[in-house]
Amino acid sequence: MNEKTRTEIYVSTDVEVDGPIPGPHSMLSFGSAAYLADKTLVATFSANLETLPDAAGHPDTMAWWAQQPDAWAASRTDLRSPQAAMADYVAWLEGLPGQPVFVGYPASFDFMFVYWYLIRFAGRSPFSFSALDVKTMAMVMLRRDYRRSTKSAMPKRWFDDLPHSHVALDDAIEQGALFCNMLAESRQR
């Protein structure tokens, strides 16, 4: 089956980082939850990463982490090298039963880290150059300005009762369910 006829798999992804951009700062952990459009959770992937050798935590981000000790501890256990983790991630993405589509909130932030790590450590991105942004989708559905299309402005019916713990996989699952609920409603219009 070629790419044009493969089912899309929506790969909701969340990252935990120690600064605003990759390279000078590290991706500490990431989690992805692969969903079909009908909200079937197909598979998950997560990894905690060793920090980059020449990187350092940004003071503002590290101050935020000081207020999140449980999430920090969760991101610092069972550390893997970025090379090994990203190679396994590419294999996981390519093993999904469809064409992976990156989903993030905001996609510009999460995708920036994931794409940078994929290219740097795996040499390619199964997502190509694209990412679907949940906030942009909310802007269109709510008919609001982008900056006013925050989660607090979204209707409660879009949210499942799932935790937002700042543990990457938990947050990816929560975000994926939100996206699927929004997608289902958008397709009813």
Side-chain angles (χ1 to χ4, degrees), residues 8 12 46 49 56 64 66 68 74 88 101 104 135 141 150 152 183:
E8 289 186 336
S12 173
S46 64
L49 305 176
W64 181 86
Q68 310 294 329
D88 287 350
V101 176
K135 188 172 179 181
M141 292 179 70
T150 60
S152 63
L183 182 63

Side-chain angles (χ1 to χ4, degrees), residues 10-60:
Y10 300 102
V11 183
S12 173
T13 303
D14 183 70
V15 302
E16 301 301 336
V17 301
D18 66 5
I21 59 172
H25 310 292
S26 299
M27 183 163 65
L28 304 173
S29 65
F30 71 103
S32 289
Y35 283 91
L36 298 176
D38 67 3
K39 205 165 69 171
T40 299
L41 180 58
V42 175
T44 62
F45 184 97
S46 64
N48 292 341
L49 305 176
E50 297 167 353
T51 57
L52 300 171
D54 296 326
H58 188 279
D60 293 344

